[in-house]
């Protein structure tokens, strides 16, 4: 690589050089250097102006949508009726008016998870519409008592008609079966029932999701602009763009806490459910017998399962009731146990069935309960992207 040097020096430095001429070249050199310096300054100025223009353009690209989104996130009218969280509620000792699946959906604001279907089977057993019996090799047999049960859901109908023999099925049958796509609709069916009962609002859902979706798109835009500004343009605009990105994240959190898609009816019912769930969680701080005899706790247990509190509740019942009493009340739990394993056995059996289904060429790798895979994986569907508090 060559190097070009512009310099002047005394003729005495190259006194051996004979190729010389008499002239005052210093002035010409100074004029040439001045011209080069002027061009360099102009080039730097043009580059600076271009950089500033691009930087301002990036800010404008980021700020304009922020003005619209931030107004909706921070200043728009609240959406829905927010139910109080469990910690703010008193104990509720009355069994919910809704089934365990609906209770779980209202509590979380999401599609039912892995505990919901076993809890629903237990609920049907308590209503004497099916029976659940423990059989050999730690399996369970589910037997139809009320034929109309199969009319409630394609999923339940498939359990009896395809997995079983139309009247009964066992967890071993489930483990060996290949479930079809009909079962994919169960979560959506149960969730839509909650909507149809007026606990959630489709209109509120659309408004809520529209704001959240636009905020998510804004975050993607800002996330792209930050490295463009920082590494490509090398402009200071990445600082305000980063600030906008962080403000949008904060805005999403605030919007999530202030807004939901519960109707007034849904919020009221959810508070009852959360108060009931709080009572179950605090069992042990008071005697279960003071709340009700075993006939009461038989009705409670499906809700304890759907809330993930069954082992906690059965542990306290083991302290206060005899083995014989528990055996009579909970035949599907082998009478007396420190655990409550029907939901675990059913879920593991279901997962094995899904493994068979995923290897079937007609079914592919689809999960019965959504893209998250598996009965016990759950899902975070519903009206929004939050979980646990029903605030979406």
């Amino acid at each position: 690589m060559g190097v070009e040097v512009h310099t002047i020096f005394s003729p005495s430095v190259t006194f051996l050089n004979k190729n010389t001429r008499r002239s005052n070249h210093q002035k010409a050199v100074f004029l040439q250097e001045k011209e080069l310096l002027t061009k360099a300054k102009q080039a730097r100025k043009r580059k600076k102006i271009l950089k500033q223009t691009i930087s301002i353009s990036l800010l404008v690209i980021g700020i304009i949508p922020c003005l619209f989104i931030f107004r909706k996130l921070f200043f728009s009218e609240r959406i829905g009726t927010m139910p109080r969280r469990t910690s703010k509620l008193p104990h509720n000792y009355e069994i919910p008016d809704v089934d365990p699946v609906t209770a779980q959906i209202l509590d979380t604001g999401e599609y039912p998870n892995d505990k919901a279907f076993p809890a629903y089977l237990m609920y049907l057993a308590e209503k004497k519409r099916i029976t659940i019996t423990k059989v050999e090799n730690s399996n369970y047999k589910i037997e139809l008592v009320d034929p109309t049960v199969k009319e409630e859901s394609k999923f339940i109908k498939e359990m009896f008609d395809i997995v079983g023999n139309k009247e009964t099925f066992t967890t071993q049958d489930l483990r060996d079966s290949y479930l079809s796509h009909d079962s994919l609709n169960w979560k959506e069916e149960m969730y839509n029932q909650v909507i149809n009962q007026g606990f959630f609002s489709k209109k509120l859902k659309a408004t809520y999701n529209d704001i959240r979706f636009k905020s998510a798109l804004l975050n993607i835009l800002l996330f792209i602009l930050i490295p463009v500004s920082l590494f490509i343009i090398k402009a200071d605009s990445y600082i305000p763009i980063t600030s906008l990105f962080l403000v949008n994240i904060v805005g999403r959190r605030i919007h999530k806490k202030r807004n939901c898609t519960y109707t007034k009816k849904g919020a009221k019912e959810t508070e009852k459910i959360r108060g009931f769930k709080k009572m179950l969680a605090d069992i042990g701080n008071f005697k279960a017998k003071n709340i009700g005899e075993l006939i009461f706790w038989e009705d409670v247990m499906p809700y304890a399962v759907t809330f993930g509190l069954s082992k906690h509740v059965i542990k306290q019942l083991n302290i206060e009731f005899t083995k014989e009493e528990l055996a009579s009340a909970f035949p599907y739990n082998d009478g007396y146990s420190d655990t409550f394993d029907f939901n675990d056995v059913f879920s593991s059996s279901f997962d094995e069935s899904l493994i068979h289904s995923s290897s079937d060429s007609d079914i592919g790798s689809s999960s019965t309960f959504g893209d998250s895979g598996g009965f016990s994986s759950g899902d975070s569907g519903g009206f929004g992207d939050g979980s646990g508090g029903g605030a979406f």
Side-chain angles (χ1 to χ4, degrees):
M1 184 175 73
V3 177
E4 181 179 345
V5 179
H6 292 235
T7 183
I8 58 174
F9 44 84
S10 171
S12 60
V13 176
T14 56
F15 61 92
L16 295 177
N17 178 30
K18 302 301 182 180
N19 184 19
T20 62
R21 61 181 179 178
R22 297 185 63 84
S23 66
N24 187 359
H25 191 59
Q26 181 177 353
K27 184 176 181 181
V29 169
F30 284 170
L31 289 174
Q32 183 185 30
E33 289 301 311
K34 184 177 180 180
E35 183 179 354
L36 291 173
L37 181 60
T38 299
K39 290 181 178 180
K41 287 182 177 180
Q42 290 175 344
R44 286 195 297 269
K45 186 176 181 179
R46 287 193 298 269
K47 185 177 179 180
K48 183 178 180 180
I49 293 173
L50 178 62
K51 182 178 177 181
Q52 289 175 341
T53 302
I54 297 176
S55 180
I56 292 172
S57 299
L58 292 178
L59 282 174
V60 171
I61 292 172
I63 289 175
I64 290 179
C66 283
L67 294 176
F68 293 97
I69 301 302
F70 290 173
R71 181 177 64 84
K72 292 181 177 293
L73 289 177
F74 292 101
F75 305 109
S76 62
E77 184 178 351
R78 291 196 177 193
I79 301 171
T81 302
M82 181 70 70
R84 289 176 291 172
R85 294 185 179 276
T86 303
S87 59
K88 304 294 184 181
L89 296 169
H91 287 169
N92 177 21
Y93 300 98
E94 295 184 7
I95 295 174
D97 298 325
V98 297
D99 64 74
V101 183
T102 302
Q104 185 192 98
I105 292 171
L106 287 174
D107 179 47
T108 63
E110 301 177 359
Y111 280 15
N113 65 18
D114 60 305
K115 300 176 179 64
F117 192 74
Y120 189 64
L121 291 178
M122 292 172 58
Y123 176 77
L124 293 176
E126 297 301 335
K127 298 298 182 182
K128 312 302 181 186
R129 302 182 69 191
I130 64 171
T131 61
I132 303 174
T133 309
K134 196 163 188 177
V135 293
E136 68 279 355
N137 300 323
S138 299
N139 285 300
Y140 288 89
K141 181 175 74 171
I142 296 88
E143 187 170 1
L144 194 64
V145 176
D146 179 4
T148 62
V149 167
K150 293 197 292 184
E151 299 174 6
E152 296 180 359
S153 168
K154 290 181 180 180
F155 177 68
I156 295 178
K157 181 176 175 61
E158 182 177 284
M159 285 291 174
F160 285 101
D161 292 355
I162 298 179
V163 175
N165 60 8
K166 298 185 182 299
E167 298 295 330
T168 66
F169 72 91
T170 67
T171 49
Q172 183 62 53
D173 294 333
L174 182 60
R175 201 173 288 120
D176 297 335
S177 67
Y178 292 75
L179 293 173
S180 75
H181 280 293
D182 287 340
S183 54
L184 286 165
N185 299 322
W186 185 77
K187 285 172 68 175
E188 187 176 358
E189 286 178 7
M190 299 305 295
Y191 200 89
N192 286 336
Q193 285 183 22
V194 176
I195 297 175
N196 294 335
Q197 292 176 61
F199 295 124
F200 294 142
S201 167
K202 289 184 179 180
K203 182 178 180 181
L204 294 175
K205 169 190 174 181
T207 303
Y208 181 93
N209 280 353
D210 179 65
I211 295 174
R212 303 288 291 179
F213 177 72
K214 289 177 179 177
S215 177
L217 289 181
L218 176 61
N219 257 356
I220 294 174
L221 172 64
L222 295 175
F223 188 76
I224 294 173
L225 293 181
I226 291 172
V228 170
S229 179
L230 180 60
F231 298 110
I232 299 177
I233 310 302
K234 296 183 179 180
D236 292 337
S237 57
Y238 78 90
I239 297 176
I241 293 175
T242 303
S243 300
L244 293 174
F245 179 80
L246 297 175
V247 170
N248 191 37
I249 292 177
V250 172
R252 287 175 62 84
R253 292 183 179 275
I254 293 175
H255 184 267
K256 177 181 174 180
K257 290 182 178 181
R258 294 175 69 246
N259 300 277
C260 64
T261 56
Y262 288 100
T263 61
K264 289 182 179 180
K265 175 184 176 181
K268 183 178 180 180
E269 189 64 34
T270 299
E271 289 186 357
K272 292 180 183 179
I273 290 167
R274 290 181 179 173
F276 184 76
K277 177 182 176 181
K278 183 177 183 178
M279 181 274 291
L280 296 181
D282 290 343
I283 192 173
N285 297 329
F286 54 84
K287 286 187 175 295
K289 281 187 175 181
N290 292 341
I291 307 303
E293 293 301 320
L294 266 180
I295 190 171
F296 170 80
W297 291 103
E298 286 181 64
D299 293 335
V300 166
M301 194 53 64
Y303 296 92
V305 170
T306 203
F307 294 139
L309 297 170
S310 58
K311 294 180 181 180
H312 177 64
V313 173
I314 202 69
K315 181 179 179 181
Q316 184 63 27
L317 296 183
N318 285 335
I319 296 172
E320 300 189 34
F321 296 93
T322 66
K323 294 182 180 180
E324 292 74 19
E325 289 174 320
L326 292 172
S328 175
F330 306 118
Y332 41 79
N333 195 47
D334 202 21
Y336 174 83
S337 176
D338 286 337
T339 62
F340 207 79
D341 63 350
F342 170 68
N343 55 309
D344 296 330
V345 173
F346 190 92
S347 296
S348 63
S349 300
F350 206 102
D351 284 342
E352 288 195 37
S353 176
L354 289 177
I355 293 174
H356 296 159
S357 299
S358 65
S359 63
D360 190 294
S361 60
D362 294 330
I363 296 177
S365 60
S366 296
S367 157
T368 295
F369 282 92
D371 293 336
S372 56
F375 185 87
S376 61
S377 64
D379 184 56
S380 58
F383 283 163
D385 57 357
S387 63
F392 305 88

